[in-house]
Structures are given as structure tokens and as C-alpha cells.
Amino acid sequence: DAKTTQPTSMDCAEGRAANLPCNHSTISGNEYVYWYRQIHSQGPQYIIHGLKNNETNEMASLIITEDRKSSTLILPHATLRDTAVYYCIVRAEGGTASKLTFGTGTRLQVTL
Amino acid sequence: DGGITQSPKYLFRKEGQNVTLSCEQNLNHDAMYWYRQDPGQGLRLIYYSQIVNDFQKGDIAEGYSVSREKKESFPLTVTSAQKNPTAFYLCASSMLFYGYTFGSGTRLTVV
């Protein structure tokens, strides 16, 4: 699976959009981009994933660049409850390997 | 409600003892995983299983053992050979090709 690079930490004011970047310059054509988040001392929570088109769900939007070498997770109106560590992961679908590899993620702090 | 349950939430172990962490899921997921997380660190894969009676080592399998006798259950044993077992342990499950569902974790402390 391709390696990802994320900033160590970010701050965001409550009510503003939080834009979390991720670089995955070695991504392969069959690898999806996944985002998870982990609130302190809990298990990670799935947020969203995509292959090459932009995706949106009730939690967030995922913007993937045309060359697929980077992506941005957007939380449109951040709240204090969105304070967490956010993990960007790339993973190939198909075949026998389905394990996710987590890096250290981005620690997002939402403030008043 | 469907979900994945880890027990106990907190576990204390004396040095030299083996302990077993439970993980049960009722999501009918094929694959199950065990991760370890140390303070301020990301998750590291210990073992994973894609079908019953089959499992593979992850990145840090030494000192751990697992079994997968039932689809719903994937217990992890932390053996005395694991030199630094104090950590937060997370179990997850997934259907192949889909995202993971995580349990709430077990915090193991060696005393």
C-alpha cells in the first residue's frame, strides 16, 4: 500500500470549515483513499473513502486531485466534537490483502 | 444492534502472565484484525484473519497469538514473550473490500 504524509497537527475555529490535507504521491491506480478519525481513547471511526471522484456524505467531503497524488478531507462546519486525530490511508481493493496501515495522522483541535 | 465488542475495557497483568483479550462481532464480517496503539502513536497491525481457521501475521506479531475458530470471534493472547505489552489494543472487522468497524478497545497495563 502507498505511503501517506499528513501534517502533525492543525487548529480550526468552531463553525469554520476544517480542511485536512494528505499527500499520497505513490498511489497506484487501484488504491482507494480512506479517512478515519479517532477521538481520544476510542476506536477509529470511518469517515469517507474515494477512488478518483470527489465524494460527500453526512460527515465530510473528500476532494481528490486529478493526478490522485493528494487529497483533502473537508469538515464543512467544525464543532468541538470534531476534535480528534484524523488518519488518511490508501488501500488497494481486490486480491487477498485488505489490511489498513495507519500512520500517525493529523491531530485536529477545534477551538471556540 | 450490530457491532463489535471488546472486553475487558481495562486489564492488568502481572509480568510473566499470559492474558487473552476478547473480540466479538455480530456484523457477519469475514475479516477481523488486531491493532496495537502506544501513546501518541498510530495503529500497528498485530494479526489479521480473512476467513475462519486462517490468520496472518501483521507488522508486530512477536509475543502475540490468535485463533479464529468462529467467524464472530477473534481472541488475542498476549504472551509472556511480549516484552512491552502495556498498550491500547483495538480490534476491527470488515467485509472484504469495505471499510473497517472498530471496537472500543482494551487498555492493557503490566503491573
Side-chain angles (χ1 to χ4, degrees):
Chain A
D1 294 336
K3 183 176 172 59
T4 62
T5 304
Q6 299 176 252
T8 302
S9 63
M10 294 182 64
D11 292 331
C12 179
E14 190 175 33
R16 297 294 197 108
N19 297 289
L20 291 85
C22 180
N23 287 322
H24 31 79
S25 59
T26 60
I27 193 169
S28 301
N30 66 340
E31 288 184 314
Y32 284 71
V33 180
Y34 279 80
W35 283 85
Y36 284 77
R37 72 180 183 185
Q38 187 177 24
I39 296 169
H40 183 63
S41 296
Q42 297 182 21
Q45 175 191 24
Y46 166 82
I47 302 173
I48 199 167
H49 76 284
L51 183 62
K52 55 183 178 181
N53 296 323
N54 297 338
E55 302 287 343
T56 296
N57 62 22
E58 64 278 5
M59 290 182 68
S61 295
L62 174 61
I63 309 298
I64 302 174
T65 58
E66 195 169 338
D67 63 7
R68 301 206 329 118
K69 294 187 176 185
S70 65
S71 61
T72 301
L73 178 75
I74 300 172
L75 308 178
H77 305 287
T79 70
L80 297 177
R81 285 194 298 266
D82 292 321
T83 293
V85 177
Y86 287 78
Y87 297 100
C88 168
I89 301 156
V90 294
R91 185 184 95 174
E93 301 297 344
T96 58
S98 61
K99 55 188 171 69
L100 291 175
T101 300
F102 288 77
T104 53
T106 295
R107 184 172 299 277
L108 175 68
Q109 180 69 52
V110 180
T111 58
L112 291 172
Chain B
D1 287 337
I4 183 165
T5 302
Q6 290 187 243
S7 61
K9 192 171 178 67
Y10 298 95
L11 185 58
F12 298 89
R13 188 195 95 172
K14 292 182 180 179
E15 286 201 38
Q17 281 184 337
N18 293 353
V19 289
T20 297
L21 284 60
S22 170
C23 180
E24 304 276 335
Q25 54 100 357
N26 60 3
L27 300 165
N28 200 33
H29 285 173
D30 295 313
M32 297 187 74
Y33 314 81
W34 275 105
Y35 286 86
R36 169 183 171 137
Q37 187 173 35
D38 293 286
Q41 303 297 312
L43 282 67
R44 292 184 291 167
L45 182 65
I46 305 172
Y47 269 98
Y48 64 104
S49 167
Q50 295 183 336
I51 55 172
V52 174
N53 292 323
D54 185 58
F55 47 83
Q56 285 80 42
K57 292 182 180 180
D59 301 318
I60 55 164
E62 185 175 351
Y64 300 97
S65 66
V66 293
S67 62
R68 187 85 187 277
E69 297 176 1
K70 300 186 299 182
K71 187 175 185 178
E72 302 79 19
S73 178
F74 191 41
L76 173 75
T77 297
V78 184
T79 75
S80 57
Q82 170 50 238
K83 298 306 179 188
N84 187 21
T86 294
F88 188 47
Y89 290 88
L90 286 158
C91 179
S93 69
S94 75
M95 292 297 289
L96 291 180
F97 320 135
Y98 286 87
Y100 286 18
T101 300
F102 279 86
S104 55
T106 292
R107 192 166 299 278
L108 173 64
T109 303
V110 173
V111 297

